[in-house]
Amino acid sequence: MNRRAFLRATTIAGIAGGVTAGRGLLATNAAKPRAPRKPNIVILYADDLGYGDPGCYGSKAIPTPNIDAIAKRGLRFTNGYCSAPTCTPSRYSLLTGEAPFRNSRAKILPGDAAMIIKTDQPTLPKMLQKAGYLTGIVGKWHLGLGTTKGGVDWNKKITPGTNEVGFDESYIMAATNDRVPCVYVKNGTVVGLDPNDPILVNYGTNFPGEPTGRKNPELLKMKHSKGHDCSIVNGIGRIGYMKGGKKALWTDEDMADVFTAKAVDFLNRNAKKDKPFFLYFALHQPHVPRVPNKRFVGTTKLGPRGDVIVEMDWCVGEVLKTLKTLGIEEDTLVIFSSDNGPVLDNGYHDQSPELNGDHKAGGIYRGRKASPFEAGTRVPFITSWPGTIKPGVSDAMVSQTDFFASFASLVGETMPEGKAIDSVDIMPALLGESDTGIDVFYQKYTLRQGHWKVILPKSGRHGTKTLHLFNLLEDPGETTNVAKKNPAVVKRLLKLHKKILARKVKR
Ligand code: NG6
Ligand code: CA
């Protein structure tokens, strides 16, 4: 059976038994049974891209024709959220359907962290495997590898890892581009291993005799502004220490080409098979260090941060082009989003603040990456499926935590009892069939219901010391705390927040 015939067959296969149940107290739009459909699914996931960065979200400073093309033929959400304002927690939620605060280890991880997804935990890619999908991840992982912190031997097969939590194919970096080990890992094995030059990684102390950004600034081509002063790889100071593996080290300037080639190769190989595929392409831009390929240097007036967004847009374009060449655009649901809000200086002197001009990376929203204000989690969020999703703009509230239950509903899989408890089936909203998404969007210290948003007091650099209530309809920029004027609303939201936090995942 060819791909199209297969898709048709699954489309008319009838109503699956026991389609996704309503998700407890959050089931505002309990799923109507639907005939399963199994399109290919591609998630393009930016790293630190803000609501206001792409052209289709209002940027005039950064040309993003390919992201804009997805929006033009698809549905652009104005109330789309990632689950948390930083990377690891958002990615954890996207793959597990659990709010990050339910797992105490879902915090920004070092590159030698143990994997925080358990191998017996249900995941989005495992669910899709069960539904007959071929699954692949390319790009940034940042959810830990192996079973103990610092316990991975990078010179041997690394396990458990991506393959054990649902990905048939994997070509990743372990953490982020500012953290060691600065190597690619293919299906659990470092690419370019040399037994005569073993790789050692340590997040505590340096290896004797190895240069660091702190002691050897003369070796740096990009200076750090905060942290990022440990091992030097490709002339850039990183977080953490590593030694060896000279042939395996990545070159930042080539990273976009390397990952894109892997994503395109995944599509070319798997589109020809009689199974649908799921590709999670976790782009590394515009996270620091921002080091574009020379083709993209100077493509904006914003310096490296703008230029790497143009580079990222090129990566997106290569994926779109491949889908077109393969003739599978109408068989493929493409989602574009970001893992958290934007940041200018994030630890390197790359002139981001100086060259930013009047560009508003967070759009009209207050805050930034790591912030409880809107710009921390309200991100670009676009779905497209030509022939199925009618192009337009949706104001429905949607979050990435909901992909698990929504895709399960789409492909006719049941959700695991007592697990993935924060994931709500909002497929009708994602497809533009409904204007209603989730009723509440919550984090450990925030909750939004309708146009009301409460931020609970929290200490720390990004915390608000006092309780805040905002009316996002009248005051989307969160300028005026109206908590004192609306005690009943505060009480209602806090009660709901407490109830949600008290829910337990079956372990
Ligand atoms: C911070 C890093 C920042 C970035 C972030 C994680 C410093 C000063 N800052 O601690 O550069 O790596 O962690 O980003 O070291 S995330 O997108 O992966 O969450
Ligand atoms: Ca991020």
Side-chain angles (χ1 to χ4, degrees):
M1 201 173 2
N2 68 24
R3 287 272 314 122
R4 276 179 187 281
F6 175 81
L7 280 165
R8 239 177 285 125
T10 54
T11 308
I12 53 166
I15 293 164
V19 171
T20 318
R23 312 299 298 155
L25 84 142
L26 304 174
T28 54
N29 56 334
K32 279 192 230 96
R34 55 163 67 239
R37 294 189 65 180
K38 298 188 180 180
N40 305 310
I41 300 171
V42 176
I43 297 182
L44 301 163
Y45 204 48
D47 192 359
D48 297 3
L49 188 74
Y51 187 89
D53 280 322
C56 55
Y57 279 89
S59 167
K60 300 260 184 296
I62 308 170
T64 54
N66 294 301
I67 299 168
D68 301 352
I70 306 178
K72 197 165 170 220
R73 69 177 203 195
L75 198 56
R76 184 174 66 80
F77 288 86
T78 60
N79 286 282
Y81 288 95
C82 54
S83 322
T86 53
C87 177
T88 301
S90 272
R91 286 158 203 261
Y92 179 79
S93 280
L94 187 152
L95 293 178
T96 66
E98 257 177 47
F101 54 77
R102 305 207 193 275
N103 181 340
S104 60
R105 293 194 298 153
K107 309 248 163 70
I108 300 172
L109 294 174
D112 67 344
M115 188 160 67
I116 62 167
I117 302 177
K118 294 216 180 84
T119 50
D120 62 358
Q121 199 171 337
T123 65
L124 170 64
K126 272 191 181 169
M127 180 276 292
L128 290 173
Q129 279 178 329
K130 213 163 135 239
Y133 279 70
L134 298 160
T135 60
I137 171 171
V138 173
K140 171 168 171 171
W141 177 236
H142 212 188
L143 292 163
L145 292 169
T147 49
T148 45
K149 175 163 169 50
V152 165
D153 181 344
W154 299 92
N155 306 287
K156 296 202 175 116
K157 170 101 184 168
I158 302 159
T159 179
T162 46
N163 297 134
E164 286 73 16
V165 296
F167 291 104
D168 299 319
E169 293 186 25
S170 157
Y171 196 99
I172 58 164
M173 62 170 144
T176 59
N177 43 338
D178 61 357
R179 274 153 225 252
V180 303
C182 300
V183 296
Y184 300 112
V185 182
K186 183 182 177 182
N187 294 321
T189 304
V190 170
V191 180
L193 268 184
D194 176 359
N196 298 317
D197 186 22
I199 297 170
L200 299 172
V201 172
N202 190 321
Y203 269 73
T205 46
N206 191 20
F207 298 97
E210 294 293 306
T212 64
R214 205 170 331 149
K215 288 210 187 113
N216 307 85
E218 74 284 358
L219 299 177
L220 298 175
K221 63 180 175 194
M222 185 190 273
K223 308 270 183 243
H224 49 269
S225 59
K226 193 168 177 221
H228 303 102
D229 58 0
C230 306
S231 289
I232 301 173
V233 176
N234 190 27
I236 298 165
R238 314 279 168 165
I239 302 177
Y241 303 98
M242 77 174 289
K243 184 185 164 145
K246 292 271 172 312
K247 285 189 193 141
L249 297 178
W250 69 50
T251 305
D252 303 74
E253 289 83 346
D254 296 341
M255 192 175 272
D257 288 346
V258 170
F259 281 144
T260 302
K262 293 296 163 192
V264 166
D265 176 55
F266 176 91
L267 296 173
N268 281 331
R269 277 183 296 105
N270 289 310
K272 298 192 182 82
K273 297 180 185 157
D274 277 344
K275 280 179 155 198
F277 61 76
F278 167 53
L279 172 65
Y280 171 48
F281 186 4
L283 300 142
H284 70 285
Q285 306 100 332
H287 196 281
V288 295
R290 299 166 181 136
V291 191
N293 185 276
K294 65 174 187 302
R295 304 197 302 279
F296 301 97
V297 174
T299 48
T300 69
K301 294 198 173 83
L302 271 53
R305 185 171 186 279
D307 296 353
V308 297
I309 293 176
V310 175
E311 181 186 67
M312 179 187 69
D313 186 75
W314 171 82
C315 302
V316 168
E318 291 301 294
V319 168
L320 299 182
K321 209 160 77 187
T322 308
L323 297 177
K324 187 168 185 189
T325 308
L326 289 165
I328 56 173
E329 284 175 304
E330 294 196 357
D331 304 334
T332 308
L333 168 60
V334 175
I335 297 185
F336 177 85
S337 200
S338 175
D339 70 335
N340 53 251
V343 57
L344 298 182
D345 184 332
N346 207 204
Y348 293 96
H349 288 296
D350 62 8
Q351 289 199 290
S352 295
E354 295 83 352
L355 298 177
N356 187 59
D358 57 8
H359 174 64
K360 291 196 167 48
I364 59 164
Y365 297 108
R366 178 174 174 184
R368 43 157 278 179
K369 174 178 180 174
S371 158
F373 295 107
E374 284 296 283
T377 45
R378 201 186 298 208
V379 287
F381 196 122
I382 312 167
T383 61
S384 121
W385 184 359
T388 298
I389 294 180
K390 225 171 99 209
V393 177
S394 173
D395 297 329
M397 185 154 78
V398 293
S399 107
Q400 295 162 7
T401 316
D402 305 313
F403 288 160
F404 195 157
S406 303
F407 292 167
S409 158
L410 180 72
V411 305
E413 283 295 314
T414 43
M415 288 297 284
E417 187 54 41
K419 316 255 190 185
I421 63 171
D422 299 289
S423 194
V424 183
D425 173 13
I426 50 162
M427 206 61 213
L430 297 178
L431 297 179
E433 294 165 358
S434 164
D435 296 335
T436 314
I438 39 175
D439 174 47
V440 275
F441 170 69
Y442 48 86
Q443 305 173 64
K444 194 169 182 185
Y445 293 96
T446 74
L447 181 139
R448 174 181 171 190
Q449 186 174 41
H451 61 270
W452 292 110
K453 173 175 169 188
V454 69
I455 306 182
L456 280 72
K458 183 182 177 267
S459 55
R461 192 154 83 90
H462 296 289
T464 54
K465 313 278 174 292
T466 55
L467 185 140
H468 285 62
L469 179 76
F470 296 108
N471 180 338
L472 293 177
L473 199 62
E474 288 170 6
D475 179 26
E478 296 170 292
T479 61
T480 314
N481 183 0
V482 292
K484 286 211 172 77
K485 273 197 214 150
N486 299 279
V489 177
V490 171
K491 200 172 158 197
R492 178 164 56 82
L493 297 190
L494 289 182
K495 196 173 157 200
L496 181 56
H497 190 253
K498 203 168 159 194
K499 204 164 151 191
I500 289 167
L501 256 61
R503 299 178 74 210
K504 291 263 177 300
V505 184
K506 210 157 115 190
R507 299 281 183 207

